């Protein structure tokens, strides 16, 4: 009645039973009605045998039978088994009580030489009353209701113990079963492997369909050849390399997700057959070649032979993986470096902003502290990273990123985007950029740089990166609408992105319209990711059109000169005139002129002068004022004389 | 203009009253700054242009704040320029915050101080949450009062504080018996019980102030009118009353009446023309924009009751001599 899966592959049959584990207890066809047949193997030899089932049934249903006597002992309410003497002689070493609806183990008297005992398919809850059967070699309690392993301590000869499909929660009380060859505990509720380390002759261990979450504590099982752990919840496996004979390991339908959790398998030289199907790891793309690569000794994976081709494939793939890992490690290093740099730049930016704010609020304490900090940062980090000189392009080739890092600023080229972090990065615009690289740049991003500083390098940007169509500003201190005027000098902008972070101007509800208005000659497509619609353009013109008109037609000539510079003033004047004379043909002309001049003329006077420059201008004005006061003093003297003269004349005139 | 009184003043006082020297100084400064270019077409023409622009009120455009606030005329011109340029923003119906109005101010005067805008906003918001939104007309009228009369308002604030704390700057005129509510020296803790100060007393102090500073204060008669129907008032209540008073607005002469604030037919015409030039435009330009919450009003055909204080630039240029190149306004 041992299920076929216990057929020993090696055929090692060290016991006295005829065909090793090829044990079958089978009854031949009985003339009586209640015959029981067990056909589990195809090639089982038939043993004629009879079973006193009929009697037992009668006994169990507490009908007094002819052959069974109830022992009237206070201790036992157990049924007592008796067989007829013919059967005892015929099948002296085996007894089958399969499907007898037993709830307890009956007392078996006079059968102390029994070697095979079968209790399959009953309702037995405790192993009892078999301690006298000290010659027992095989005990089959498959499909019962046993909750605890017990009552086996006298069965020192036991070789096969089948306790599958019971309710056992813990492996215990196997201490004396040192000869155990097969231990079947499948279909129970076992959570932990324990108390089996003394079973040095155990060859087959079945713990399938239990509640194991991990595998360890396997040392001492020096003969174990087959270990079945299917259908558990195993997440990691250990100690398998301590099993010197293990050949077959079944881990199907568990919870293994990485090879690291079963890494001990790589160290087991005896393993030749392993299954992982039904685990998360089997779904991974790297599953097969990782397993093959790590377990060179394997011959069969998931019940399929491993071919040479597969092995070769596996090693190739493994190499690729290694390469990829190295590459991604390098990438992540670079990324980390970049991140640190940006953090540093951000910190400096914050300090700088604080300093400005504190100067405004006149806090002396901060003023004395802050100048030191940036210097410290500059000093320490500049020494760590020597400056890279020379053209940037030498390292680019096919690589995706060119990186030039000094901790106080960062310049990064990534395909079509040039990113600048920190005001020191602006100097990089002076470098020798190859025409090819510079030509590919369509997006320029500025972060942690004062907008006023960016304004000063815009001409350089125009020249060096002629294809830059998309400008992005983040943490650049855009506070006034006027600052957008400075962007008008560029050749063209298709897209503008002003990140709200660090750019207070975005809080102004009409800022987009102002940008569209002032930079209308660019015909921008997108602002902050949103498409610009015709209605937006109309709105912009509607809101600010008059401002432009006032700024162009109502300024006296000398103001125009001082704002625009003489050459442009002439163009400006000409175009204003032509605009006035031919209203009908304006559109085309205007378009042409836009291409020529590059700017909608009536807005040209809306300039932006950076704060410092503006303050310088004012200072100069004051100086000039002093001159003029002097001049005026002289004039007043002249006037006084004239006035007095006029007064006297008038007075004299009035008298008449 | 040609009154005999002007002859009665001594020379420096006359000049000071008309701020002639200020303009002369500024003109010379501008000349010095641009002497290379101006020398091409002559100094006389430059001076003509300069003083023309002073008359037209365009001289303050994009100038520094110190110049913009230098004379009352400059201030009026600035107010008017601001109104003309950003009337469309108001017409669009957007309510803006103080900072946003300040942004607009900075477009015309880059170094305009934030505190002035803040003070103006405080008038509208009655010293309440400063992040509130304000309508264009509310802000503009309050700003007018704050900007044009800033020195006067500073003195008024001082007087108000004195009155609140019970000190009376006018020891001469103290009607203790006539007004029973007058409190001589309230303890500081009681200052909050009665809101503000007593109106008539306040007015008397103001009258004295006006006498002392002849220029740049609102006509006392109009102030009295503004205070006529209140018993007590707070400082910001007073300023609010000033800003809403039509008479004071008209006396200033910078802005139209509140009802006509959005009307400027000449500019609207100009705007329509500009809109027609927006590239790719097919539909009629009078289609109302999506973003406005109020429907934009088409300019009325009726003539605006408000007469510009200065003749429109076109007419002036027609009369001026020599500056033919400037008459691009003939583009109508």
């Amino acid at each position: 009645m041992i299920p076929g899966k216990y057929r020993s592959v090696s055929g090692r049959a060290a016991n006295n039973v005829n065909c090793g584990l090829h044990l079958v207890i089978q009854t031949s066809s009985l003339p009586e009605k209640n015959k029981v047949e067990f056909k589990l193997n195809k090639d089982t030899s038939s043993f004629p045998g009879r079973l006193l089932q009929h009697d037992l049934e009668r006994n169990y249903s507490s009908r007094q039978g002819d052959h069974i006597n109830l022992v009237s002992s206070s201790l036992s309410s157990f049924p007592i088994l008796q067989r007829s003497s013919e059967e005892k002689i015929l099948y002296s070493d085996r007894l089958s009580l399969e499907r007898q609806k037993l709830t307890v183990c009956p007392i078996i008297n006079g059968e102390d030489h029994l070697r095979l005992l079968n209790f399959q398919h009953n309702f037995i809850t405790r192993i009892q009353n078999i301690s006298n059967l000290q010659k027992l070699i095989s005990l089959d309690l498959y499909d019962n209701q046993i909750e605890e392993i017990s009552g086996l301590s006298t069965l020192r000869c036991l070789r096969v113990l089948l306790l599958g499909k019971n309710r056992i929660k813990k492996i215990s009380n196997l201490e004396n079963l040192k000869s155990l060859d097969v231990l079947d505990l499948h279909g129970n509720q076992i959570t932990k492997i324990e108390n089996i380390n003394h079973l040095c002759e155990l060859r087959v261990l079945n713990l399938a369909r239990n509640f194991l979450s991990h595998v360890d504590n396997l040392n001492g099982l020096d003969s174990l050849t087959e270990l079945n752990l299917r259908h558990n919840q195993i997440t990691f496996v250990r100690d398998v390399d301590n099993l010197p004979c293990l050949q077959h390991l079944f881990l199907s339908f568990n919870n293994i997700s990485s090879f690291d959790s079963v890494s001990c398998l790589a160290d087991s030289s005896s393993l030749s057959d392993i299954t992982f199907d039904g685990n998360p790891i089997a779904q991974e793309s790297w599953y097969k070649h990782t397993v093959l690569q790590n377990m060179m000794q394997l011959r069969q994976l998931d019940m399929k032979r491993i071919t040479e081709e597969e092995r070769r494939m596996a090693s190739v793939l493994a190499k690729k993986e290694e390469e990829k890992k190295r590459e991604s490690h390098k990438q992540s290093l670079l990324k980390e470096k970049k991140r640190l740099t940006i953090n540093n730049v951000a910190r400096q930016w914050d300090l700088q902003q604080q300093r400005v704010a504190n100067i405004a609020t006149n806090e002396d304490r901060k003023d004395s502290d802050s100048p030191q900090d940036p210097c410290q940062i500059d000093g320490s980090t500049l020494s760590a990273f020597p400056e890279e000189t020379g053209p940037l392009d030498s390292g680019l080739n096919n690589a995706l990123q060119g990186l030039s890092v000094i901790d106080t600023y960062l310049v990064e080229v990534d395909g079509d985007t040039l990113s600048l972090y920190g005001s020191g990065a602006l100097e990089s615009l002076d470098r020798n950029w190859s025409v090819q690289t510079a030509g590919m740049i369509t997006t320029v991003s500025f972060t942690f740089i004062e907008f006023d500083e960016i304004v000063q390098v815009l001409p350089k940007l125009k020249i060096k990166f002629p294809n830059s169509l998309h400008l992005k500003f983040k943490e650049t201190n855009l506070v006034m609408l006027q600052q957008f005027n400075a962007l008008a000098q560029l050749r063209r902008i298709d897209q503008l992105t002003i990140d709200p972070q660090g750019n207070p101007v975005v809080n102004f509800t009409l800022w987009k319209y102002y940008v569209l208005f002032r930079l209308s000659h660019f015909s921008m497509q997108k602002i902050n990711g949103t498409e610009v619609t015709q209605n937006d353009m109309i709105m912009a013109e509607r809101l600010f059109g008059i401002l432009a008109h006032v700024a162009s037609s109502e300024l006296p000539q000398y103001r125009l000169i001082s704002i625009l510079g003489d050459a442009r003033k002439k163009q400006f004047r000409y175009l204003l005139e032509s605009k006035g004379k031919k209203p009908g043909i304006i559109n085309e002309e205007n378009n042409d002129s836009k291409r020529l001049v590059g700017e909608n003329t009536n807005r040209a006077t809306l300039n932006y002068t950076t704060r410092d420059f503006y303050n310088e201008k004012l200072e100069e004005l004051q100086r000039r004022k002093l001159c003029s006061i002097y001049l005026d003093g002289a004039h007043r003297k002249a006037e006084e004389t004239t006035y007095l003269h006029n007064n006297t004349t008038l007075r004299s005139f009035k008298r008449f | 203009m040609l009154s005999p009184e002007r002859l009665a003043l001594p020379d420096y006082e006359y000049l000071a009253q008309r701020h002639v020297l200020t303009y002369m100084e500024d003109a010379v400064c501008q000349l010095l700054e641009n002497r290379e270019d101006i020398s091409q077409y002559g100094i006389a023409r430059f001076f003509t242009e300069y003083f023309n622009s002073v008359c037209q009120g365009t001289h303050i455009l994009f100038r520094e704040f110190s110049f913009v606030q230098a004379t009352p005329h400059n201030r009026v011109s600035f107010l008017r320029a601001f109104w003309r340029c950003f009337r469309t923003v108001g017409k669009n119906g957007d309510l803006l915050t103080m900072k946003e109005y300040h942004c607009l101010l900075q477009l015309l005067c880059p170094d305009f101080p934030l505190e002035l805008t803040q003070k103006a906003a405080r008038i509208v918001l009655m010293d309440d949450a400063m992040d509130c939104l304000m309508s264009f007309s509310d802000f503009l009228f309050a700003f007018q009062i704050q900007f044009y009369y800033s020195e006067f308002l500073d003195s008024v604030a001082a007087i108000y504080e004195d009155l609140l704390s019970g000190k009376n700057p006018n020891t001469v005129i103290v009607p203790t018996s006539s007004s029973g509510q007058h409190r001589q020296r309230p303890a500081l803790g009681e200052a909050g019980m009665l809101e503000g100060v007593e109106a008539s007393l306040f007015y008397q102090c103001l009258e004295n102030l006006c006498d002392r500073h002849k220029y740049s204060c609102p006509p006392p008669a109009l102030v009295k009118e503004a205070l006529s129907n209140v018993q007590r008032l707070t400082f910001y209540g007073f300023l609010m009353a000033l800003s809403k008073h039509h008479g004071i607005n008209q006396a200033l002469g910078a802005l139209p009446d509140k009802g006509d604030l959005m009307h400027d037919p000449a500019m609207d015409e100009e705007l329509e023309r500009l809109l027609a030039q927006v590239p790719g435009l097919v539909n009629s330009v009078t289609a109302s924009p999506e973003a406005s919450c109020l429907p934009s009003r088409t300019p009325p055909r009726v003539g605006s009751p408000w007469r510009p204080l200065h003749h429109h630039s076109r007419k002036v240029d027609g009369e001026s001599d020599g500056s033919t190149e400037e008459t691009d306004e003939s583009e109508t």
Side-chain angles (χ1 to χ4, degrees), chain A residues 23 31 39 95 101 201 204 260 345 383 416 420 429 436 454 478 491 509 622:
Chain A
L23 268 178
K39 268 213 193 115
L95 174 59
K101 300 197 183 141
E201 296 197 22
V204 175
D260 287 334
V345 175
S383 59
D416 61 355
L420 303 168
L429 293 173
Q436 191 200 11
I454 299 174
L478 269 167
R491 190 168 299 156
T509 48
Q622 283 173 10

Side-chain angles (χ1 to χ4, degrees), chain A residues 112-269:
Chain A
D112 290 350
H113 43 272
L114 216 53
R115 296 204 334 210
L116 312 170
L117 183 52
N118 176 2
F119 276 123
Q120 274 194 23
H121 303 297
N122 282 293
F123 304 95
I124 295 168
T125 52
R126 280 195 69 183
I127 310 173
Q128 297 164 308
N129 301 324
I130 52 172
S131 17
N132 51 322
L133 306 173
Q134 295 187 11
K135 294 269 178 51
L136 214 55
I137 291 177
S138 161
L139 174 59
D140 186 350
L141 283 157
Y142 172 74
D143 190 18
N144 276 282
Q145 293 172 4
I146 295 167
E147 290 174 12
E148 190 199 12
I149 306 175
S150 57
L152 303 172
S153 44
T154 54
L155 307 177
R156 288 170 207 279
C157 299
L158 200 65
R159 286 261 176 87
V160 175
L161 177 55
L162 309 178
L163 285 167
K165 211 163 170 202
N166 277 283
R167 296 176 190 175
I168 297 167
K169 294 188 172 52
K170 189 174 146 106
I171 308 174
S172 56
N173 297 326
L174 299 172
E175 286 82 43
N176 293 342
L177 307 179
K178 291 212 168 61
S179 311
L180 211 55
D181 190 63
V182 171
L183 176 55
D184 179 9
L185 288 165
H186 83 273
N188 279 288
Q189 298 163 10
I190 295 166
T191 55
K192 201 171 158 201
I193 300 176
E194 54 186 342
N195 299 324
I196 54 170
N197 307 89
H198 57 287
L199 303 173
C200 42
E201 296 197 22
L202 193 69
R203 279 184 319 114
V204 175
L205 175 56
N206 185 354
L207 285 164
R209 293 192 193 273
N210 274 285
F211 297 159
L212 293 171
S213 58
H214 58 272
V215 175
D216 56 7
N217 209 1
L218 292 173
N219 46 298
L221 301 172
D222 296 334
S223 310
L224 196 66
T225 327
E226 182 180 316
L227 177 54
N228 184 350
L229 295 165
R230 290 188 177 95
H231 292 284
N232 276 283
Q233 296 148 17
I234 294 167
T235 51
F236 68 85
V237 174
R238 280 208 281 260
D239 280 355
V240 167
D241 42 345
N242 291 331
L243 302 171
C245 297
L246 189 69
Q247 289 169 25
H248 309 273
L249 177 57
F250 306 120
L251 285 165
S252 316
F253 298 101
N254 276 287
N255 214 358
I256 295 166
S257 40
S258 78
F259 195 79
D260 287 334
S261 45
V262 299
S263 55
C264 63
L265 299 180
D267 299 327
S268 162
S269 46

Side-chain angles (χ1 to χ4, degrees), chain A residues 109 178 242 259 272 309 344 487 643:
Chain A
N109 281 333
K178 291 212 168 61
N242 291 331
F259 195 79
S272 62
E309 178 62 29
N344 192 20
L487 295 177
Y643 181 64

Side-chain angles (χ1 to χ4, degrees), chain A residues 556-656:
Chain A
Q557 199 174 16
Y558 71 90
R559 293 294 310 283
L560 284 172
I561 293 173
S562 75
I563 293 176
L564 290 178
D566 194 42
R568 293 197 56 206
K569 181 213 89 185
K570 292 208 177 89
Q571 271 178 341
F572 182 76
R573 285 276 142 203
Y574 167 72
L575 287 157
L576 269 185
E577 283 167 17
S578 58
K579 209 160 90 167
K581 283 171 192 158
K582 301 165 202 167
I585 321 174
I586 288 296
N587 279 335
E588 292 168 33
E589 265 192 23
N590 226 2
N591 285 336
D592 286 348
S593 65
K594 265 189 220 165
R595 266 178 246 126
L596 285 172
V597 180
E599 185 167 348
N600 214 352
T601 51
N602 68 351
R603 308 183 216 280
T605 50
L606 297 173
N607 273 0
Y608 174 63
T609 45
T610 59
R611 249 169 282 149
D612 299 329
F613 187 60
Y614 192 71
N615 291 336
E616 277 172 36
K617 267 184 73 181
L618 287 182
E619 279 171 26
E620 210 179 290
L621 275 176
Q622 283 173 10
R623 265 180 268 135
R624 294 222 165 122
K625 265 206 168 121
L626 288 172
C627 299
S628 68
I629 289 173
Y630 173 75
L631 285 169
D632 277 311
H635 281 152
R636 274 175 66 191
K637 278 279 184 286
E639 281 164 0
E640 256 183 26
T641 337
T642 328
Y643 181 64
L644 279 171
H645 181 257
N646 284 345
N647 221 6
T648 43
T649 320
L650 268 168
R651 281 208 197 104
S652 51
F653 188 71
K654 263 177 136 178
R655 262 184 251 123
F656 295 101

